[in-house]
């Protein structure tokens, strides 16, 4: 029987403890196995997920919507352009109303302050599907993927090559929770916002190749994230040399993995031979958004499941 727990939001990676992540990852393994074996698992019957999108999405929408259906529940898609939020309804009011009509809410938006204000007025758990500052669901999926392929990530080295964006800040929080180290290399002018860094488990490298030395996982993202399109030309120039190519991967550990949260631009932040090569696990990584988020939804709504 599930053990009831107070409302808990998932707005950044540090919102869960190591013990909670270990439980959620264990559940993700079980839920994924059931999915692969075509075993029906419907703990969310008569439960509804509302998905609020202020930014475009492929993997976030598909993984949350399909995942909720696979858990036996319903998922409702709301785009801010087609709702009262797009006409100026206060975020606080939207949080009050939506949370009275559903069981859990996922929000994909711009500033972290928006989702914080929404959650402060919600009666149900709120999940961060992406903000400018944090992308916890993606990093949770990435760690789940690493564990599937290589075992524990504790004590390992993760190389982050490219922009100091929401992915990096979630990776830095994950390093503090799981006990690994992050080698960071960003171009001049695109360094980390230190107000978003709350760990010393990282080393900064001016040379991106040096950051890959001995890394167990090499990670990158597009050079121009959503909301920064007007900077694209300047970023392409500034990031020249930060492409993750075979030469950089050769400096990583022999069994190193390559990850990218997608969509990817071959020839810009990653070469085709790397993302399509034998060290790349980007397709497993993308699929695992589905499984880790199903486990997260289960945990936030039902608490720990006693499987004995």
């Amino acid at each position: 029987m599930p053990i009831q727990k107070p409302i808990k939001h998932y707005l950044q990676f540090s919102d869960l403890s190591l013990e909670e992540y270990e439980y959620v990852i264990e559940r993700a393994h079980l839920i994924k196995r059931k999915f692969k074996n075509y075993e029906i698992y419907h703990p969310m019957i008569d439960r509804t997920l509302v998905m609020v999108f202020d930014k475009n999405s492929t993997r976030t929408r598909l993984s949350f919507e399909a995942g909720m259906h696979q858990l036996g529940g319903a998922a409702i898609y709301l785009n801010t352009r087609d709702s009262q939020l797009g006409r100026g309804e206060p975020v606080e009011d939207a949080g009050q109303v939506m949370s009275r009509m559903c069981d859990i809410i996922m929000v994909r938006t711009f500033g972290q302050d928006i989702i914080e204000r929404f959650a402060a007025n919600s009666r149900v758990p709120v999940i961060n599907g992406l903000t400018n500052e944090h992308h916890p669901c993606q990093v949770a999926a990435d760690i789940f993927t690493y564990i599937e392929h290589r075992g524990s990530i504790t004590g390992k080295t993760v190389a982050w090559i490219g922009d100091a964006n929401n992915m990096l800040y979630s990776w830095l929080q994950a390093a503090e929770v799981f006990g690994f180290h992050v080698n960071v290399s960003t171009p001049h002018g695109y360094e980390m916002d230190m107000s978003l860094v709350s760990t010393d488990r990282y080393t900064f490298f001016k040379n991106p190749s040096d950051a890959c030395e001995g890394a167990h996982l090499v990670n990158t993202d597009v050079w121009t994230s959503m909301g920064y399109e007007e900077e694209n030309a300047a970023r392409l120039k500034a990031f020249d040399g930060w492409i993750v190519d075979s030469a950089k991967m050769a400096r990583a550990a022999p069994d190193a993995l390559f990850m990218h949260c997608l969509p990817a631009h071959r020839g810009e932040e990653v070469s085709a031979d790397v993302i399509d090569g034998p060290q790349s696990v980007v397709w497993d990584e993308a699929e695992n958004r589905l499984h880790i988020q199903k486990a997260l939804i289960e945990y936030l709504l039902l608490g720990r499941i006693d499987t004995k």
Side-chain angles (χ1 to χ4, degrees):
M1 294 294 292
I3 301 172
Q4 296 301 318
K5 58 186 296 184
I7 292 173
K8 187 175 185 67
H9 303 301
Y10 188 61
L11 307 183
Q12 51 187 303
F13 197 92
S14 59
D15 284 343
L16 297 187
S17 66
L18 176 60
E19 182 184 18
E20 288 175 306
Y21 275 113
E22 289 174 342
Y23 170 78
V24 170
I25 288 171
E26 178 186 353
R27 294 298 298 173
H29 281 298
L30 175 65
I31 290 169
K32 182 175 183 178
R33 186 164 62 250
K34 289 179 179 292
F35 174 78
K36 296 294 186 180
N37 291 334
Y38 295 95
E39 296 179 26
I40 295 175
Y41 181 60
H42 286 169
M44 295 297 143
I45 289 177
D46 203 32
R47 301 290 184 105
T48 303
L49 164 71
V50 168
M51 307 179 299
V52 182
F53 284 87
D54 208 13
K55 285 188 173 185
N56 294 335
S57 168
T58 298
R59 281 152 291 277
T60 296
R61 179 177 177 181
L62 183 58
S63 56
F64 272 105
E65 189 164 346
M68 194 63 177
H69 284 298
Q70 291 164 16
L71 292 173
I76 298 173
Y77 172 82
L78 284 180
N79 190 298
T80 54
R81 293 188 299 271
D82 305 322
S83 69
Q84 295 298 339
L85 274 170
R87 299 180 65 243
E89 181 173 20
V91 170
E92 292 81 0
D93 292 0
Q96 289 275 2
V97 172
M98 290 182 192
S99 65
R100 287 172 178 258
M101 298 183 181
C102 66
D103 301 282
I104 190 166
I105 301 170
M106 186 283 300
V107 179
R108 182 178 172 94
T109 187
F110 290 90
Q112 182 75 10
D113 65 300
I114 297 173
I115 197 170
E116 297 279 356
R117 287 158 51 205
F118 189 103
N121 289 273
S122 174
R123 293 184 170 198
V124 302
V126 176
I127 298 175
N128 183 349
L130 176 143
T131 62
N132 290 345
E133 294 84 356
H134 299 284
H135 200 358
C137 288
Q138 181 65 61
V139 172
D142 294 356
I143 290 174
F144 176 46
T145 304
Y146 186 89
I147 290 171
E148 279 191 322
H149 284 267
R150 297 289 186 263
S152 174
I153 197 169
T154 299
K156 300 298 194 294
T157 298
V158 175
W160 179 266
I161 310 300
D163 192 20
N165 62 9
N166 50 10
M167 284 292 296
L168 173 57
Y169 298 124
S170 288
W171 270 112
L172 290 171
Q173 288 192 354
E176 187 66 24
V177 173
F178 279 87
F180 57 85
H181 196 81
V182 183
N183 288 351
V184 179
S185 184
T186 62
H188 177 68
Y190 297 89
E191 294 89 355
M192 294 182 289
D193 177 351
M194 296 309 296
S195 70
L196 296 173
V197 178
S198 57
T199 183
D200 60 0
R201 291 182 174 274
Y202 71 91
T203 303
F204 182 79
F205 293 83
K206 290 184 178 180
N207 186 323
S209 294
D210 292 343
C212 295
E213 185 68 37
H216 303 92
L217 169 60
V218 179
N219 212 321
T220 191
D221 194 1
V222 295
W223 291 342
T224 306
S225 298
M226 284 179 289
Y228 300 91
E229 288 80 5
E230 72 281 357
E231 302 177 7
N232 189 56
R235 283 172 173 265
L236 288 177
K237 183 177 180 179
F239 284 75
D240 184 34
W242 264 261
I243 183 173
V244 177
D245 53 19
S246 57
K248 290 185 181 67
M249 289 300 298
R251 296 191 62 177
D255 64 345
L257 300 177
F258 171 78
M259 291 189 189
H260 190 306
C261 62
L262 303 177
H265 300 129
R266 289 167 175 81
E268 288 186 14
E269 74 274 7
V270 61
S271 61
D273 61 333
V274 169
I275 193 171
D276 299 318
Q279 291 174 283
S280 173
V281 291
V282 297
W283 313 124
D284 291 342
E285 177 189 4
E287 178 192 337
N288 279 338
R289 286 285 301 277
L290 173 71
H291 308 302
I292 199 74
Q293 287 164 189
K294 287 162 73 174
L296 181 63
I297 288 169
E298 179 192 71
Y299 177 63
L300 293 178
L301 283 180
L302 301 182
R304 290 178 180 265
I305 304 291
D306 184 359
T307 57
K308 295 181 180 179

